[in-house]
Amino acid sequence: MKTKQIFFNAATVCMVALAVLMTQAMFNGAVHADQRNDAAGGDLRQRVADLEDQQDENDIEFVLIDRTLADLNLRINANDADIRALDGRGKALGDRVNRLDARCKNLQEQQDALAAMVKRLSARK
Amino acid sequence: MKNLFFTVATTLSIVSVSYLLPSIFPGERAKILSDVGSEIRLVACSATNARTSSLRNAELVSNIVNGLPQDVHIMLLVNDRSAFATSSNNRRVTFVEMPRKSDISIWPQDPFVVVQGPSTTKLITPCSFNREDDERMPAQLAGMLNLEVIHSEMHFEGGNIVCGEDSVFIGYDTIQHNAVVLEATPQQIVKRFSKLFGRPVVVVGESIQEVGHIDLIVTPLRGRKVAVADSRAGARLAASAVDRQPDDVLDFETRCEQMYFGREDVTELTDRDGKKIIRPNVVGQTKAAISASLQIAPALDRIARQLSRAGYSVVRIPALIPDQGSTPQDDAGQGTNDASKRYPFLSYSNVLVEMRHNQPLVYLPHYGFEAMDQAALRAWDELGFQVKPVPGFATSAMYGGGLRCCTKVLLRN
């Protein structure tokens, strides 16, 4: 009877241990199910090494050149063109103002002459 | 029968406990990548060009790449690969092309954070990020490196988060902003960040931030040690330079001004929207920057005291901090609305730190203000760091960023 009891207890312990191991394995997987195994520690390092392998040379000095400096010149030239256009428009506007001013003076003179004529005619009466 | 029942009951209990164990004791969780740690292995940078951007940084990127050790690989984000040529095929730099017509800034630090677990690296992005097309950066990097991108519901910018060995430091504004937007208490927000980043959170500051991003003023060091910017010391150094080496200061100011658009003769440009960008007036502005530095000094002292109370050993690093408000100062130190007065933020806290060959090493931005650059170098040297200066940050600093802002460490050894 005692042997049977010991055997049974041993079997129980074994079952429990097995259950623990299986459950841990099962749920551990579930906890990390949302994580893709891209493996930062190892694989990201490996991917960096792969990227380096794809490139052949290893310069001591790295020089990055902006080839679009010409575009900067274009942008500056565009600005200059804008400024020139604005300047031209300003001059044209100035000319128009001067012309208007001259016309205005001319009209003023005509008005003065008419006023003088009216005055003279009034005096004859 | 009784024994059988007992066995089944015990087994079920074990199964239940085992199921709950991972959530009670999470074990080795994914954690935000620390700013302090072993050798830097992989860094992201971004380069803009004259065709699309007023702030061109090809030369600065060259300085950063050459300033970092040979075994550091750089992922260089570009939105127009054809705009760039390199001296030759360089093994250390991999170009990462952004989608055509996307517009990027030179600050890859901000649109995401890196979280590493025992076997995974993830890039966590904020709920929204509205600066040009920078929110596309993590996806492009992840595509190239086969990493996972997690879209978080939290709002953050990488520059307002720095990480020490044990805790992650987050600026007050980020906590408050999330509390308002997510309708939660600041304590709940801290808990959520702590869960997201896998580390305890220390909130930096107790009121609205005077400086937009804490990485300009706070640098975690090894152990429970933190470096906090000291703008009072910076103001003293700058004032002394104005008195003793006025020509050097004038030379610095003139270079900042002249090289703002990368060419001396360019004084204004038109942006994509047709708005004029005018070269800022820097000459004569050092005095105003000194005045602004003195004004902001008490706020930095408060942060230093707060971190000290939290159990950190605080050391100070000089900084010259121009006015951070919307009203830049005129010559008399009065507030003006003249946005054309833009002085570089001389931060020596916006650095990259690593342990290399068992020696603490700092990559320190230099701005060309000799007296300040040298004082900062001495300060880091006195802290026991080997200092590797990286030159050419004046223009970047006029837009408000230093070395850390221009980079994102993706992997450390």
Side-chain angles (χ1 to χ4, degrees), chain B residues 119-183:
Chain B
S119 61
T120 56
T121 297
K122 293 174 185 178
L123 308 182
I124 299 189
T125 62
C127 172
S128 63
F129 191 83
N130 301 318
R131 190 180 61 207
E132 299 175 15
D133 293 317
D134 286 358
E135 78 277 3
R136 292 177 166 188
M137 285 180 175
Q140 295 304 115
L141 285 167
M144 183 74 101
L145 295 166
N146 192 26
L147 302 177
E148 190 174 1
V149 178
I150 306 281
H151 298 286
S152 150
E153 58 178 2
M154 309 300 281
H155 298 256
F156 60 83
E157 291 184 350
N160 215 26
I161 298 166
V162 290
C163 187
E165 277 180 340
D166 56 347
S167 306
V168 55
F169 299 81
I170 303 180
Y172 176 89
D173 285 1
T174 298
I175 302 296
Q176 289 304 311
H177 178 71
N178 278 280
V180 171
V181 173
L182 301 174
E183 295 177 347

Side-chain angles (χ1 to χ4, degrees), chain B residues 171-231:
Chain B
Y172 176 89
D173 285 1
T174 298
I175 302 296
Q176 289 304 311
H177 178 71
N178 278 280
V180 171
V181 173
L182 301 174
E183 295 177 347
T185 64
Q187 290 77 17
Q188 288 168 330
I189 297 299
V190 164
K191 269 188 187 170
R192 284 162 80 165
F193 269 123
S194 182
K195 193 177 174 192
L196 183 66
F197 294 155
R199 293 178 191 266
V201 169
V202 175
V203 181
V204 176
E206 290 161 335
S207 56
I208 292 171
Q209 290 178 222
E210 303 263 356
V211 173
H213 282 172
I214 60 166
D215 68 350
L216 288 159
I217 51 170
V218 174
T219 317
L221 305 174
R222 286 180 75 81
R224 286 182 71 82
K225 204 169 185 180
V226 182
V228 176
D230 184 352
S231 61

Side-chain angles (χ1 to χ4, degrees), chain A residues 8 20 35-36 39-40 47 52-53 55-57 59 62-68 71 73 75-76 79, chain B residues 3 14 50-51 62 66 73 82-83 85-88 91 93 119-122 145 147 263 266 268 270:
Chain A
F8 198 82
V20 167
Q35 298 182 359
R36 212 169 54 188
R47 276 196 291 280
E52 287 172 342
D53 286 344
Q55 294 150 314
D56 0 278
E57 292 176 43
D59 284 351
F62 174 75
V63 183
L64 185 69
I65 301 151
D66 186 349
R67 290 200 290 212
T68 62
D71 291 54
N73 292 338
R75 291 172 70 189
I76 296 159
N79 270 359
Chain B
N3 277 341
I14 296 287
R51 188 178 296 161
S62 302
N66 294 322
H73 195 86
S82 65
T86 55
S87 45
S88 62
R91 199 165 180 257
V93 178
S119 61
T120 56
T121 297
K122 293 174 185 178
L145 295 166
L147 302 177
R263 258 179 47 176
V266 183
E268 67 175 51
T270 310

Side-chain angles (χ1 to χ4, degrees), chain A residues 4-25:
Chain A
K4 194 179 169 189
Q5 187 68 39
I6 290 168
F7 174 76
F8 198 82
N9 285 345
T12 306
V13 168
C14 285
M15 269 184 74
V16 166
L18 193 67
V20 167
L21 287 173
M22 283 177 71
T23 319
Q24 283 289 356

